[in-house]
Amino acid sequence: TPAATMRQTSGESPRAKKRHRATSVQPAFRAPSRRSHATHSGKQTTGVVKKIGKGMGFCSVDGIAGDVLVGERSLIESGLDLSTIQVGETLTFDLAKGPRGYYADNISLAALLPQDEVTGTLKKIHKSMGFCSVEGVDGDVLLGPRSLRESDIDLSSLQLGDIFVFDLNRDSSGYHATNIRRE
């Protein structure tokens, strides 16, 4: 038949042509993935998990306003399971920015805190608290009023640059010192 001859000479049936047109147009209407718009800072950072729910978690990161998304897909790609992560845990990740804000990529559990005491340098005093920097710890370590009092250290005697030795602890608010003593 003439119709059969026409299909054979064009190489594709009308149905196949229609499928081909649909698939060739389809990607133009697909929303781009968040990863295609992401810009990576190129720097590993750490964040403390502050909430978990609906297949995702959120971290607080020093210097970033708002939360950093820890998505289930990024966790799976990093070999981690969201159900094993707890609020207050520290994660290490590449910080990326997508159209909706910051998110974590290439995620790993942060190294455990040292078992021994650490040494910190007092860098800031604010209200009734001191803040130390500790080598290898991202962010400040809080010398809280209770820990200072329990360690018999008077806040009014603190001076910037003072060296302290203490046990390093971590919770959902960040790092804090206990068993503090002057070096």
Side-chain angles (χ1 to χ4, degrees):
T1 68
T5 309
M6 189 163 56
R7 272 195 297 260
Q8 290 173 348
T9 58
S10 67
E12 290 183 331
S13 70
R15 179 179 245 167
K17 284 183 181 181
K18 186 174 181 179
R19 259 195 323 263
H20 178 71
R21 276 195 305 268
T23 57
S24 66
V25 173
Q26 193 173 10
F29 297 107
R30 189 179 314 156
S33 76
R34 66 182 170 109
R35 294 182 190 282
S36 65
H37 289 297
T39 56
H40 293 269
S41 69
K43 178 183 170 197
Q44 282 268 302
T45 190
T46 59
V48 177
V49 178
K50 59 188 258 188
K51 58 186 166 183
I52 298 172
K54 298 182 181 179
M56 62 187 111
F58 296 92
C59 280
S60 60
V61 175
D62 287 343
I64 300 293
D67 296 337
V68 174
L69 172 68
V70 179
E72 190 170 35
R73 185 171 89 188
S74 290
L75 285 164
I76 290 168
E77 289 173 357
S78 300
L80 298 173
D81 181 359
L82 182 63
S83 67
T84 64
I85 295 175
Q86 298 177 1
V87 171
E89 235 175 330
T90 300
L91 302 175
T92 302
F93 49 84
D94 291 333
L95 186 63
K97 186 168 184 177
R100 294 184 180 171
Y102 289 99
Y103 67 93
D105 206 10
N106 191 23
I107 306 163
S108 63
L109 293 172
L112 295 175
L113 295 175
Q115 298 299 315
D116 297 324
E117 297 175 318
V118 296
T119 301
T121 305
L122 187 66
K123 66 183 233 179
K124 180 180 175 182
I125 300 171
H126 181 71
K127 297 186 180 179
S128 61
M129 302 169 283
F131 297 89
C132 280
S133 60
V134 175
E135 189 173 331
V137 174
D138 191 27
D140 294 339
V141 176
L142 170 67
L143 303 181
R146 181 177 172 189
S147 293
L148 288 167
R149 200 172 37 254
E150 289 173 354
S151 302
D152 293 324
I153 296 175
D154 181 16
L155 179 69
S156 64
S157 69
L158 299 182
Q159 294 184 4
L160 298 182
D162 284 352
I163 307 293
F164 294 94
V165 176
F166 48 83
D167 293 335
L168 186 60
N169 301 278
R170 172 186 63 172
D171 62 19
S172 60
S173 301
Y175 296 100
H176 63 277
T178 56
N179 301 319
I180 306 165
R181 69 176 195 277
R182 286 184 197 263
E183 189 61 13

